Amino acid sequence: MIPLTRRDAVASLSTHLCKVTFQKKTTGEIREMKCTLDPTHMPSGAYESLGNYDRYRPYTSKGTQSSVVQAWDTEKGAWRSFDINFVQNFEQIEE
């Protein structure tokens, strides 16, 4: 399944662990990432490290529309991002 919008992806990531397959903008490399925005799937303090980032806000600080989603990569243990326009597959997984 591929989410229709950035908002759909954020909604799924906020309550689930998801597997996202996407093409990296910079290198064209295909990457698979297990990620989430659900604090129950993150180590203590990780969610708070996002600060005041509004995950549902689809605009950049310059007021332009953003297609980038930030999420916690559970395998790398760090915040990563992907562009919703480059997603090839998106699925909720149980773990």
Side-chain angles (χ1 to χ4, degrees):
M1 170 191 122
I2 298 175
L4 301 176
T5 65
R6 178 186 182 280
R7 190 172 202 50
D8 293 337
V10 169
S12 290
L13 288 163
S14 294
T15 56
H16 294 86
L17 185 60
C18 299
K19 183 167 66 171
V20 183
T21 305
F22 62 97
Q23 183 178 13
K24 289 181 72 171
K25 271 173 112 170
T26 54
T27 64
E29 170 190 358
I30 302 299
R31 177 148 186 264
E32 188 174 279
M33 175 170 68
K34 288 183 183 175
C35 55
T36 190
L37 286 170
D38 180 353
T40 63
H41 292 289
M42 299 177 195
S44 178
Y47 188 76
E48 292 77 15
S49 71
L50 252 181
N52 64 356
Y53 171 71
D54 181 354
R55 60 185 179 223
Y56 284 104
R57 184 174 165 205
Y59 297 96
T60 67
S61 60
K62 296 179 181 175
T64 57
Q65 186 79 24
S66 176
S67 56
V68 175
V69 177
Q70 275 189 299
W72 181 259
D73 184 326
T74 59
E75 293 178 328
K76 293 198 183 239
W79 290 105
R80 297 286 189 252
S81 61
F82 60 90
D83 188 316
I84 198 71
N85 297 316
F86 289 81
V87 171
Q88 296 181 348
N89 192 43
F90 186 100
E91 59 186 282
Q92 295 176 357
I93 56 176
E94 297 300 321
E95 215 170 87

